[in-house]
Every structure is written in structure tokens, then in C-alpha cells.
Amino acid sequence: MTTTTTAASQQDRSDDEAASQQSDNTTASTIVDVIETVIDSLDSDNTAMVSDTDGGYIWKFKYGTVEVFVQLTGLSDDDTISAWAAVLKLPAKDEAKLTRKLLELNWSGTLEARFAILGSEVVVLSTRSLADLSPGEISRAITLVATIADDQDEPLQAEFGAS
């Protein structure tokens, strides 16, 4: 069986590719706009800063007593959005007790976020791929990290902070 590709079907494919490219660009600008809107709503002191990286962005802003970072590694479905905030510097007093407390909090008090160690700090973080990501998920991830970090930093520092 022989198939013939007509100019019309080639044009249809070209139109589909252009529409897909336009959709990708709209999605990319929408993701950045949503992140900036969420940060604007949380950053009452207007401390937000943004830096362009190789194909991505990093934002930093103050929420209560913590600095929150949001990183967008790129704009494809395989890229990720991450939000994190430090709550405690290490080393800490009674690290075994601290570890147990953080694991318990991970189970009962962080929802889609979690506690982790980044370098020499305990952080609250959330990471998600961009595939099928909704504006609500972006808002929830950033808000959860900021709120949990602000709620937990002072009690953790009081109980486990180095003297």
C-alpha cells in the first residue's frame, strides 16, 4: 500500500506543531506567573528576588522568620519545581532525638512537604516535576514549605539548636 503525503496534510502537521509550541510557551509563562503571584502573596515585606539560571529560575523571599527558596529547573515536563526553607543549622543538640522528631513530623505534619538535610541545615522542602502540574499545586507547595518552616524553625532551634 502506498501513502501519499499531500501539501495540506503537511500544513496540518505544521499547524499542530506551531500550536503545540505556542501552548508550551503559554504554559511556561503561566508557571512563572503563578510562582511570582504566590510569592507576592506570601512576601509581605517585599523582599523577593529572582535570578535566571541556565534555562531556569531561583526565587528567594522572606516569610515570617525564614528565607524561602523556589527553584524552577526549566520549563519542560521533565523539569522540576522545588521549594525549600532552612529551619535549623547543624550540628544540633541530641541529634538522635531530633531525627526521631523530624521523622514523626514527616509522617503527621508536613503533608506533601518533608524535612531533609541540605548541606549543614535541616530544611523543609517540596519537589515536583512539571508534568501535569496545576497552578493550585504550585501555590500549595510553596505555601506549605513557607508555613511549616515558619511554624517549626523557632521551636526546633529552641530545643535542638547548638548552644
Side-chain angles (χ1 to χ4, degrees):
M1 178 173 177
T2 322
T3 47
T4 308
T5 305
T6 65
S9 67
Q10 287 176 341
Q11 182 61 41
D12 288 344
R13 277 196 299 266
S14 242
D15 290 345
D16 289 345
E17 289 170 5
S20 175
Q21 179 70 25
Q22 178 63 34
S23 172
D24 289 347
N25 289 340
T26 301
T27 303
S29 66
T30 301
I31 291 170
V32 171
D33 289 345
V34 168
I35 292 169
E36 291 184 347
T37 299
V38 172
I39 290 171
D40 284 344
S41 74
L42 296 172
D43 180 26
S44 61
D45 295 335
N46 294 319
T47 61
M49 296 186 301
V50 63
S51 174
D52 290 339
T53 62
D54 294 330
Y57 302 86
I58 296 179
W59 290 265
K60 177 174 89 169
F61 67 98
K62 187 102 166 137
Y63 182 78
T65 56
V66 295
E67 274 191 336
V68 181
F69 296 86
V70 179
Q71 180 178 28
L72 186 61
T73 60
L75 298 170
S76 75
D77 281 355
D78 295 331
D79 286 308
T80 59
I81 179 173
S82 299
W84 71 94
V87 294
L88 180 67
K89 292 203 178 292
L90 296 174
K93 292 186 278 188
D94 199 352
E95 288 194 9
K97 185 177 177 186
L98 170 64
T99 300
R100 181 179 179 95
K101 181 168 187 79
L102 295 177
L103 287 171
E104 289 170 351
L105 286 169
N106 275 348
W107 172 252
S108 65
T110 57
L111 304 168
E112 295 87 35
R114 63 194 176 279
F115 286 95
I117 295 174
L118 176 63
S120 62
E121 295 178 315
V122 174
V123 298
V124 178
L125 76 121
S126 179
T127 299
R128 164 88 158 70
S129 73
L130 298 186
D132 300 320
L133 182 66
S134 74
E137 290 173 297
I138 294 169
S139 177
R140 182 170 170 87
I142 297 169
T143 302
L144 277 174
V145 166
T147 303
I148 292 168
D150 187 48
D151 289 347
Q152 293 295 327
D153 67 326
E154 291 171 315
L156 289 172
Q157 290 168 18
E159 186 172 354
F160 301 104
S163 29

